[in-house]
Amino acid sequence: MTRVNLITGFLGSGKTTTLLHLLAQKPQGEKWAVLVNEFGEVGIDGALLAESGAVLKEIPGGCMCCVNGLPMQVGLNMLLKQTRPDRLLIEPTGLGHPKQILDLLSAEVYQPWLTLDATLCLLDPRQLGDARITANENFRDQLAAADIIVANKEDRWDEATLAALQDWRAQDALQRPIIPARFGQIAGELLTRPRLNQQPLPQAAHHHARPASRLAALAPVQNTRWRRSLNQGQGYYSCGWVFDAETMFDTVGLLEWARLAPVSRVKGVVRIQEGLLSVNRQGEDLNIETRQAAPPDSRIEIIHEEEADWNSLQASLLKLRLTAVV
């Protein structure tokens, strides 16, 4: 029997970092797996989780619960059949809705194979002061579906943030536990807690269709050394690039590019002369990490609430390459 946890949270809440901390606490002798889904097409989280010791399955390019849950079912069935993990952690995109996933995991066909434990929702409480985010249906439903709220990024809170979190807690009819955290550092025992919140969730109205827009003029670009992919849905737009293994970037220049890019979110794992550079920016928060081991390629994804000037951002990014200047 595989124990399953859903790890949800809106864009930039710290889901992947939290997953890394949880995976580091895996009991010896247990086999764990991760099913991860990203809004963008190029898949950044897989590169970050590749050395975690868990079996990894990625579903890039939107919401894993769409198309009647087919991407989710295929990924889930492959993991169960090929891996038979003791525990499975599922990380949906920050723009995903949890209802369809929870319904699927609770379906009768999976009852002999799965036991659904607590659902954790990562929350950056500063987002409670952003009307655009609090009005987002997925943000609200992720919180509504959770058994445990992980109030992350405590090191960035101010008095207004704490007051907003207290106000939200006072309105939470279920009075679910709120776990303060910094850098996603939470106790692994939270995964073993049972489901508490089994209130029915409203049916979400999905809006993943890509309407005719300027995206048509920015069709995916394929180069001999790199490629670009676009995605759009849930009121957000993404542009991602994958560069081959021989391409390296100027470290300082790339950090400045990520810091100054006029978009809401930047995430990447890239090759630099020193090895690997992980970049994660949400709003004005910029987190970086360097490692010795280099990834097989370099991947960068940017997300914004409206269509950005992808071509201009791409041109400035390409100038930062140290090799493979094709």
Side-chain angles (χ1 to χ4, degrees), residues 1-4 72 76-77 80 85 88 90 101 104-107 109-117:
M1 181 73 72
T2 297
R3 317 290 302 194
V4 182
M72 168 74 177
L76 178 60
N77 292 346
L80 293 177
L88 171 62
I90 301 178
I101 301 173
L104 177 64
L105 296 173
S106 304
V109 66
Y110 287 114
Q111 288 182 5
W113 311 100
L114 304 177
T115 297
L116 189 55
D117 286 337

Side-chain angles (χ1 to χ4, degrees), residues 226 241 243 246-261 266 270-274 277 279 298 300 302 312-326:
W226 56 272
W241 296 268
F243 296 86
E246 297 181 11
T247 301
M248 282 191 273
F249 286 86
D250 173 67
T251 307
V252 174
L254 184 65
L255 290 176
E256 281 296 283
W257 182 89
R259 185 177 68 85
L260 298 175
V266 179
V270 301
R271 295 175 68 97
I272 57 175
Q273 289 180 311
E274 297 82 2
L277 177 68
V279 179
S298 294
I300 301 172
I302 53 180
S312 177
L313 286 164
Q314 176 177 288
S316 57
L317 176 63
L318 293 178
K319 292 178 181 179
L320 301 174
R321 294 174 297 168
L322 298 177
T323 58
V325 294
V326 176

Side-chain angles (χ1 to χ4, degrees), residues 11 52 55 62 67 82 85 96 116 175 216 241 251 290-291 298 311:
L11 293 173
S52 66
V55 180
V67 196
Q82 298 175 3
L116 189 55
Q175 288 295 292
W241 296 268
T251 307
T290 57
R291 302 178 188 173
S298 294
N311 287 334

Side-chain angles (χ1 to χ4, degrees), residues 91-232:
E91 180 200 353
T93 168
L95 293 172
H97 188 281
K99 174 178 169 50
Q100 286 83 353
I101 301 173
L102 290 169
D103 285 348
L104 177 64
L105 296 173
S106 304
E108 184 176 353
V109 66
Y110 287 114
Q111 288 182 5
W113 311 100
L114 304 177
T115 297
L116 189 55
D117 286 337
T119 292
L120 278 59
C121 180
L122 273 291
L123 169 67
D124 179 349
R126 294 174 298 173
Q127 295 176 330
L128 294 171
D130 187 332
R132 177 180 173 85
I133 293 178
T134 56
N136 187 287
E137 181 180 50
N138 291 331
F139 175 80
R140 298 196 304 268
D141 290 343
Q142 288 165 4
L143 288 171
D147 301 297
I148 299 170
I149 309 296
V150 178
N152 200 18
K153 304 189 179 183
E154 187 180 18
D155 55 306
R156 304 291 178 92
W157 299 0
D158 56 20
E159 292 183 5
T161 302
L162 184 57
L165 182 60
Q166 291 172 340
D167 288 344
W168 184 87
R169 183 188 181 100
Q171 299 174 40
D172 180 21
L174 299 177
Q175 288 295 292
R176 289 160 296 176
I178 297 180
I179 310 297
R182 298 186 179 199
F183 309 107
Q185 296 176 353
I186 58 175
E189 67 88 14
L190 293 177
L191 297 176
T192 66
R193 296 190 184 182
R195 285 189 74 192
L196 301 175
N197 177 17
Q198 301 193 38
Q199 300 291 321
L201 295 172
Q203 184 69 35
H206 273 48
H207 304 287
H208 294 302
R210 303 181 190 181
S213 69
R214 192 162 56 89
L215 287 178
L218 291 171
V221 175
Q222 183 73 41
N223 190 281
T224 56
R225 310 301 294 267
W226 56 272
R227 64 179 173 87
R228 179 179 77 185
S229 299
L230 301 167
N231 195 11
Q232 183 256 318

Side-chain angles (χ1 to χ4, degrees), residues 31 50 57 78 92 96 140 162:
K31 181 185 294 183
K57 175 66 178 176
M78 287 181 62
R140 298 196 304 268
L162 184 57

